[in-house]
């Protein structure tokens, strides 16, 4: 039978996730290094490595502007990618507590998955002391030029598949090719997972300007949101 845990809004996600993984609860193994608090994670619908707050949430206690305390269901929070009704301003208030679903799993297997996520983050992302954060995005539709790049990169990906390259490798090389053809070769070292930009050194500000130019060539109305690491 499923159980639940209720925590205050200021609980750090990574601390909660690590504790839940040790106890053998599924859905937290990808969140063991996620920065921020659980309240903020609900507002942003945070997630990584296949784990999403929206998949765990049973409800959130909300202090409304008029002083009334209400309880929001996942449906009322209307989650979308990295967003919620609270973030979009459709619902007003401050999260007080969060209730999350607990589903039992294999503790040993969950610890292994958590360690894989931890090592991948160490490998691909610099530590907070050298890192402003990363971008999330809503790219929308492609320009005509972007559509042509999709076709070219798709052919390239097909060729890689014939050479036996796996899907993750093909996906990475595909978006790298699009950036190179769109004039963003210098941006490539700053990209991570689905075209996200990471500030990893003192040159990142200059490169980010090029990143924005490339996105505008490929997408009709790209919207970016910067995540600030703690």
């Amino acid at each position: 039978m499923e159980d639940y845990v209720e925590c205050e809004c200021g609980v750090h996600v990574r601390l909660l996730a690590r504790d839940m993984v040790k106890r053998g609860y599924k859905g937290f193994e990808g969140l063991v290094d996620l920065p921020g608090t659980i309240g903020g994670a609900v507002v942003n619908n945070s997630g990584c490595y296949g784990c999403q707050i929206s998949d765990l949430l049973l409800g959130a206690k909300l202090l409304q502007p008029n002083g009334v305390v209400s309880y929001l269901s996942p449906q009322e929070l209307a989650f979308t990618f990295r967003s919620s009704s609270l973030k979009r301003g459709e619902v007003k208030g401050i999260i007080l507590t969060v209730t999350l679903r607990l589903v039992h799993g294999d503790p040993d297997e969950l610890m292994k998955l958590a360690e894989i996520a931890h090592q991948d983050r160490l490998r691909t992302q610099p530590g907070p002391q050298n890192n402003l954060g990363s971008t999330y995005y809503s790219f929308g539709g492609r320009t005509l030029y972007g559509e042509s790049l999709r076709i070219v990169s798709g052919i390239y990906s097909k060729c890689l598949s014939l050479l036996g390259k796996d899907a993750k490798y093909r996906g990475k090389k595909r978006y790298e090719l699009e950036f190179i053809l769109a004039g963003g070769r210098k941006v490539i070292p700053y990209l991570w997972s689905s075209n996200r930009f990471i500030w990893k050194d003192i040159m990142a500000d200059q490169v980010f300007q090029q990143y924005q130019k490339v996105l505008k060539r490929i997408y009709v109305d790209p919207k970016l949101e910067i995540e600030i690491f703690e």
Side-chain angles (χ1 to χ4, degrees):
M1 178 180 291
E2 295 181 354
D3 205 349
Y4 68 91
V5 60
E6 184 176 17
C7 49
E8 295 183 352
C9 61
V11 172
H12 286 273
V13 176
R14 62 178 181 270
L15 298 180
L16 174 66
R18 290 171 185 173
D19 185 49
M20 294 297 102
V21 168
K22 289 179 181 178
R23 295 171 184 265
Y25 293 114
K26 297 191 293 185
F28 295 88
E29 60 273 13
L31 307 178
V32 291
D33 289 311
L34 189 70
T37 64
I38 192 65
V42 171
V43 172
N44 292 312
N45 188 19
S46 299
C48 53
Y49 298 103
C51 297
Q52 303 284 341
I53 290 297
S54 54
D55 293 334
L56 298 168
L57 188 77
L58 289 174
K61 190 178 293 183
L62 188 78
L63 175 62
Q64 300 178 37
N66 60 6
V68 174
V69 175
S70 60
Y71 193 80
L72 293 182
S73 67
Q75 291 73 30
E76 290 171 311
L77 283 161
F79 289 116
T80 57
F81 181 73
R82 300 293 179 265
S83 187
S84 68
S85 58
L86 280 167
K87 185 172 183 177
R88 295 188 296 271
E90 299 161 0
V91 175
K92 304 290 186 181
I94 299 173
I95 291 180
L96 299 177
T97 63
V98 173
T99 305
L100 302 175
R101 178 184 295 107
L102 298 181
V103 180
H104 290 280
D106 183 339
D108 292 336
E109 182 62 25
L110 294 175
M111 289 293 288
K112 290 178 182 178
L113 293 174
E115 182 61 20
I116 290 173
H118 174 66
Q119 292 300 326
D120 189 64
R121 185 179 284 271
L122 290 178
R123 179 177 58 82
T124 59
Q125 300 187 41
Q129 67 273 18
N130 299 316
N131 190 3
L132 171 65
S134 61
T135 60
Y136 293 107
Y137 56 83
S138 175
F139 289 162
R142 287 182 175 240
T143 62
L144 290 176
Y145 180 64
E147 286 294 342
S148 67
L149 290 182
R150 187 205 297 271
I151 295 172
V152 171
S153 65
I155 295 172
Y156 177 59
S157 178
K158 182 64 176 179
C159 292
L160 290 176
S161 69
L162 295 175
L163 295 175
K165 303 297 185 181
D166 62 42
K168 185 175 181 179
Y169 179 88
R170 296 199 307 272
K172 180 175 183 294
K173 291 300 180 181
R174 183 170 182 172
Y175 71 68
E176 284 182 358
L177 177 63
E178 291 192 0
F179 266 72
I180 291 171
L181 294 177
R185 183 180 294 274
K186 293 182 179 180
V187 180
I188 300 301
Y190 295 84
L191 295 181
W192 176 78
S193 181
S194 303
N195 301 359
R196 284 174 56 188
F197 184 95
I198 294 181
W199 274 263
K200 63 179 186 177
D201 57 35
I202 60 174
M203 297 299 296
D205 282 350
Q206 297 180 26
V207 179
F208 184 67
Q209 296 178 23
Q210 185 64 30
Y211 174 72
Q212 291 176 293
K213 291 179 181 178
V214 170
L215 292 185
K216 289 179 180 178
R217 291 171 186 164
I218 300 176
Y219 300 98
V220 175
D221 185 26
K223 293 181 174 61
L224 300 176
E225 175 185 339
I226 299 174
E227 174 193 57
I228 306 297
F229 287 173
E230 294 179 329

